[in-house]
Amino acid sequence: MTDKTGNKTFNLTRRTALKGLAAGTSLILSPAVLRHGLAHAGETIKLGAPIHRTGIGAAYGRWYERVANAAVKIINDGGGINGMPIELIIEDDGTDPKRGTEVVEKFATEYKVDAIFGQLFSHVVAAAAPRAGELKVPYLMCSETHQLAAGGFSRYAFQPGITDVKSQIASMAPWVSKNLGKKVTMIYPDYAFGYGHRDFFSAAMKEQGGEVSTLIPVPPTETSFSRYFPQIDPSSDVIYHVMVGPGVLTFVKELGEFFGSSHPAIFGFVDSIEAVDLATPQLSFLEDSYFWEAAPRYAQADQTEFDKFYREAVGVDANGASTSDPKDISTYSHMFSVWETLFAIKSAMEAADYKGVEQKEAFIEALENLGTMEASNEHPQGKKVMDPKTHQAFGVQNISQVKSSKMEVVYTTTIEEGMYEPEVDYSKMSL
Amino acid sequence: MGFGPFLFLATLEGLVQASVLVLTAVGLSLVFGVMRVVNVAHGEFFMLGAVIAWFVATNMPGDPAIGFIAALIISPLAVGAVAYVADRLILTRLNYNPEATIVATIGLLYVIQQSVLMTYGADARPVDPPFYYTIRLPWFGYSSYKLFVIAAACVLLGVIWFVLKRTKWGLLMRATQFDRETALAFGIPVRKVYSFVFAIGAGLAAIGAVLIVPIQQAHYLMGLDPLLLSFTVVIIGGLGSIQGTIFAAILIGLSDGILSVFFSPTLAKIVSTLFVAMVLVFKPNGLFAKAKR
Amino acid sequence: MGAGMMKSLILHLAVLVLLFLLQFVISDYAILTLTRMMVLGIFASGFNILFGYTGLLSLGHAMFFGAGVYAAGLPIYHFGWSVPLAFVFAIFMSFVAAVIIGVIALRTVRDSFMILTLMLAQAGYLAILYFNRETGGSEGLTMPQASRSFDFLGLTIDLTDAATRYNIAVLLLAITIVVSFILIQGRYGRLFNAIRENEARTEMLGYNVLTAKLFSFTVSGTIAGMAGAAYAILFGYIGATFAGIQYSIEALLFTLLGGAGTLLGPLLGSILMTTLIDRLSEVTSAYFLFLGLILIALTLWFPKGLLGTIKEKWLPWLT
């Protein structure tokens, strides 16, 4: 067969078509259950981890996966949970609400896991967590989202490994208003967690007698920022930034070009530069500026032995980079949540003497009653207090200053500074 | 900052955006104009250009300028080669069937994105600009490299113009675009023209990407926006009109930039999108349409 | 009714019955995931009316899906509307949106139409972000517990129940297929076909092409909106992502893969794509690489999509 441009076209015969169809069908019909259901129930603890392997969260997902594998290895080497090893099942959720929900449904009904953990981006959590509740499978997010403590989900949802963003932000405001100034311009993404920063920080600053005078929400796909900078109120004391994704280097560089040497104090959430090397020349403008950090990326002078142990286990060096590639920077202030969540699962399952799904309710009650988790190898970021009503754990936060392209902790909050009145009581809901 | 300087800054930013956009869009305009296929993977060629620029620049010893110049040469050639192979292996076999091409180029998009994710990773990585110099104006500072981008785009457009209007290859392309059947009848190797157009289109996207990486980092998901904007520019400008493409790129760049003076960022984007869309409502064939299609 | 049309009708009814019966044999997970595939299949079917049958390529159909998602979800979330009322309201709003956008977009043809719909959809997506205090922006909103079960005509409908959702999806799919079938076989269907084949000639023959195109656009947008409303209600989450460009491209991809201009093509495309992603991602983290290669290979074997090519080669009576 030739066509008008004079080349051969691909010739479809019934045979090749059928062959293709057959190959495709056999692939589709081979159920995962056959591959993963080999271990009998009761022999392993099955944990499903939907991870952001692709999509906008991929830089985080890569580290979440490494941390999950490292923690599971330690638990299994130590005899597993109640004598049963963890069987970790990881699938990509594409950092997408639809796919994220599908994977949660799959873990619940096809793999029949004991619990699901590890989702991060708040739009994915918002879609997936309620479905997990409806399928009655414990769902542990590693996200920082406040939607859980705000009462948006169900009794099956927990966040034991990382403090939520409302608490993180509220605990920053007193220090910012005391040390940097009371008038703040906020630059934040018009995207998922940006709204939390806008609402909670504005409220928290007001409480401190300060104000957020200008809000600059930047559309998520924006790649150039200079033209928004003239909107920064020139009388502000502080520029508060929280950017995410590939645009951040441009953002900082253009901010530096725009202001030159005289500029307001700069305070940011480390989310802006997670997985980004601070020693990049484009980030030199951040020297002397301040960051919130949950876990200090650079090993501090007073590093705890727990942090040392954890760093080694997950393969991160003293600069927060991979031990095998110094250019591969970790998401240090987020990924510990995966580690701590797995150990929280372990300790709750042990408290409930969990042997299988029929003890799900005891497991959930044990999660609610985790209480105080002291700083340890299991909780290297520091002490956590689990609120049984909101299912949210609270921990300490750090403020670090950039010195010679590294971050030095200048202040560590107490847990109480980030506490707020519970907005929901999940423990009274039915299971 | 006063209104005047603000507007000036917004205009500069708009022109930088237009410069990169115009190179990417001219590439697409050739592919779309000559071959009449919707190449969904065009944005991925742009992304690939940026990623290859990063590889070249980081592995090139010495001054960042050497790495940058090397990237400016190697990246478009490499991306053009990838596009050429893709054309020969896939598009020719599909006989440029418009519908099958959409699906196949979506497939190509997946392949390129995943390959880059596996080799280059999910991080956004910067390329050092060939020179660092911030021009300090009384009101704000501005990167001199950005002005260089505008100049470079003008020079490159001049070259493209010359090739299209004054060389044999340009003539072949224009003839094929004008009337494929007649071109074939006159013995023009249409198939070869197609493959080269596809490669050149991808290469132009890569050049745009190399110019932008010192400003904006290389990231495996960076291709979507340039793809959508390029299509928009090509159609608004009027299919097959290079002047139209240039004009539309400047229109979009400036409206994006200048409207951000008056509105909050997201609202500015909405207004600017609707404003440009209205051009099509009132000039359905684009601004510089040569003939009614 | 001709013999071919009869055959086609029987085939489609059989497929619908089969889908209904499947719930008694397939696994729990298959029921959950097939429900979602059917809803997205309805979305793509709506798109197909415009693209496959009338020949108009819109790159902005996510705006109608998104309109349905939000017009159903927002009244439930903010005003506590009952689910059936919100669903009907969302269909009506999608219809209104389709008429308005249609009148504007149909001033253009072909490439310009493609880009204009793309830009209008982009503006809609950004508007959802801009009004994030009401819409939840890209983070989205989780539907309240109270909306997960409701009373309808004396029945208690529990949306957390997988079988209930599955049957609602089958019902909506059946309505879509039957309405489309009647439309396509009727006078307007032939007119759509004529416009797709040669718009100028159709106009010359004295038909009101613009009215026919607007009609197609409206039906198409309303079906897409209904799918969006169903998605919001069945899965309890609304978010800006559903109005994003990837959903417009998905509708196009499902349709082209299954076969543009065949009633079951979009559903088949939806099932195929979702299943491929689902199964491949179990085996390899590089599943998009294989997915891309499979798409390319499929276009080589089936340049007109699966059902489109089958129709062309073997089953010419297929609608």
Side-chain angles (χ1 to χ4, degrees), chain A residues 233-257:
Chain A
D233 179 353
S235 68
S236 331
D237 305 314
V238 188
I239 295 174
Y240 177 114
H241 66 92
V242 51
M243 297 303 300
V244 70
V248 63
L249 291 183
T250 318
F251 170 75
V252 172
K253 191 161 68 86
E254 294 188 343
L255 199 62
E257 283 161 1

Side-chain angles (χ1 to χ4, degrees), chain B residues 126-148:
Chain B
V127 171
D128 286 336
F131 47 89
Y132 275 107
Y133 181 70
T134 304
I135 302 171
R136 291 236 61 90
L137 299 168
W139 320 280
F140 57 85
Y142 203 71
S143 155
S144 59
Y145 177 77
K146 285 188 174 176
L147 299 179
F148 166 77

Side-chain angles (χ1 to χ4, degrees), chain A residues 171-185:
Chain A
S171 68
M172 293 293 106
W175 190 90
V176 169
S177 70
K178 210 175 299 160
N179 294 285
L180 302 180
K182 294 200 181 296
K183 200 165 180 193
V184 182
T185 292

Side-chain angles (χ1 to χ4, degrees), chain C:
Chain C
M1 193 184 281
M5 192 177 173
M6 200 65 205
K7 264 198 236 174
S8 183
L9 182 64
I10 291 168
L11 173 76
H12 288 97
L13 291 177
V15 167
L16 289 171
V17 171
L18 182 73
L19 278 171
F20 174 76
L21 293 176
L22 265 182
Q23 62 182 303
F24 302 108
V25 287
I26 57 179
S27 72
D28 290 350
Y29 175 59
I31 289 182
L32 290 173
T33 176
L34 196 51
T35 306
R36 195 176 278 104
M37 293 175 199
M38 282 192 283
V39 173
L40 291 173
I42 295 171
F43 170 39
S45 297
F47 173 81
N48 190 29
I49 298 280
L50 187 65
F51 174 65
Y53 290 101
T54 323
L56 292 168
L57 173 54
S58 150
L59 274 186
H61 250 48
M63 72 181 134
F64 300 118
F65 190 74
V69 165
Y70 278 95
L74 289 180
I76 293 176
Y77 186 88
H78 289 293
F79 310 124
W81 282 22
S82 78
V83 170
L85 179 64
F87 184 67
V88 173
F89 175 73
I91 294 175
F92 175 71
M93 289 310 286
S94 315
F95 166 80
V96 172
V99 172
I100 295 172
I101 302 282
V103 167
I104 298 169
L106 288 169
R107 289 179 56 94
T108 57
V109 290
R110 276 187 276 180
D111 309 321
S112 303
F113 177 78
M114 177 175 93
I115 294 302
L116 187 54
T117 47
L118 171 79
M119 297 185 81
L120 293 174
Q122 206 67 357
Y125 169 74
L126 288 167
I128 294 171
L129 296 187
Y130 184 70
F131 294 105
N132 60 70
R133 284 173 205 270
E134 289 75 30
T135 60
S138 76
E139 184 167 277
L141 298 170
T142 301
M143 290 292 104
Q145 281 292 315
S147 72
R148 301 302 287 152
S149 98
F150 61 93
D151 291 319
F152 185 63
L153 305 175
L155 290 166
T156 300
I157 308 220
D158 179 10
L159 290 173
T160 65
D161 178 57
T164 307
R165 281 204 312 268
Y166 184 89
N167 286 309
I168 293 175
V170 171
L171 179 69
L172 294 177
L173 180 71
I175 293 173
T176 307
I177 298 281
V178 169
V179 166
S180 305
F181 189 90
I182 294 168
L183 179 71
I184 296 311
Q185 297 291 1
R187 195 181 81 85
Y188 265 105
R190 288 191 294 276
L191 191 50
F192 292 168
N193 199 29
I195 292 170
R196 185 186 62 192
E197 296 305 324
N198 192 335
E199 186 174 332
R201 190 180 58 197
T202 315
E203 190 150 30
M204 232 141 51
L205 289 173
Y207 291 100
N208 191 337
V209 167
L210 191 62
T211 312
K213 286 205 288 190
L214 185 60
F215 183 58
S216 170
F217 194 93
T218 307
V219 172
S220 172
T222 309
I223 293 176
M226 178 182 83
Y231 195 98
I233 285 166
L234 294 182
F235 303 107
Y237 167 77
I238 64 177
T241 141
F242 299 119
I245 173 75
Q246 62 274 32
Y247 277 81
S248 295
I249 291 179
E250 231 164 59
L252 172 65
L253 182 59
F254 292 167
T255 305
L256 285 177
L257 200 56
T262 60
L263 280 179
L264 292 172
L267 176 68
L268 186 65
S270 159
I271 293 175
L272 185 70
M273 269 302 285
T274 317
T275 313
L276 277 174
I277 289 177
D278 198 34
R279 292 307 177 201
L280 284 172
S281 70
E282 281 168 14
V283 196
T284 163
S285 57
Y287 60 97
F288 267 108
L289 188 70
F290 294 96
L291 187 66
L293 294 175
I294 289 172
L295 286 185
I296 292 169
L298 279 176
T299 56
L300 294 175
W301 277 320
F302 300 95
K304 302 217 153 167
L306 292 173
L307 288 183
T309 305
I310 288 172
K311 173 181 173 173
E312 188 178 73
K313 304 241 163 202
W314 302 303
L315 307 176
W317 45 265
L318 201 64
T319 39

Side-chain angles (χ1 to χ4, degrees), chain A residues 3-4 7 54-55 58-59 62 190 217 219 222-224 226-227 230-231 246 249-250 253-254 257-258 260 281-282, chain B residues 1 6 9 13 92 95 122-124 126 132 136 141 143 146 180 184 191 214-217 220 260 263 265-266 269:
Chain A
D3 62 72
K4 32 194 178 168
N7 43 329
T54 58
R62 177 184 67 207
D190 206 344
E222 194 52 273
T223 50
S224 166
S226 289
R227 62 175 182 271
Q231 296 183 13
L249 291 183
T250 318
K253 191 161 68 86
E254 294 188 343
E257 283 161 1
F258 182 81
Q282 281 84 349
Chain B
M1 188 188 295
F6 194 168
L9 173 66
E13 284 289 287
T92 50
N95 192 20
D123 297 325
Y132 275 107
R136 291 236 61 90
S143 155
K146 285 188 174 176
R180 185 168 89 159
L184 205 58
R191 203 182 72 184
I215 305 176
Q216 175 198 330
Q217 291 69 45
Y220 86 108
S260 65
F263 301 102
T266 308
K269 276 239 181 293

Side-chain angles (χ1 to χ4, degrees), chain B residues 232-254:
Chain B
T232 308
V233 162
V234 168
I235 300 306
I236 300 261
L239 199 61
S241 159
I242 299 284
Q243 303 96 297
T245 304
I246 297 169
F247 188 83
I250 294 174
L251 177 78
I252 288 181
L254 284 186

Side-chain angles (χ1 to χ4, degrees), chain A residues 130-179:
Chain A
R131 288 293 301 129
E134 290 175 3
L135 293 163
K136 300 194 184 301
V137 56
Y139 175 92
L140 299 97
M141 59 201 82
C142 302
S143 155
E144 312 177 305
T145 182
H146 175 62
Q147 300 160 87
L148 171 70
F153 302 145
S154 71
R155 200 173 171 189
Y156 287 87
F158 289 87
Q159 189 152 246
I162 190 165
T163 314
D164 72 323
V165 70
K166 178 174 177 179
S167 166
Q168 291 172 356
I169 292 167
S171 68
M172 293 293 106
W175 190 90
V176 169
S177 70
K178 210 175 299 160
N179 294 285

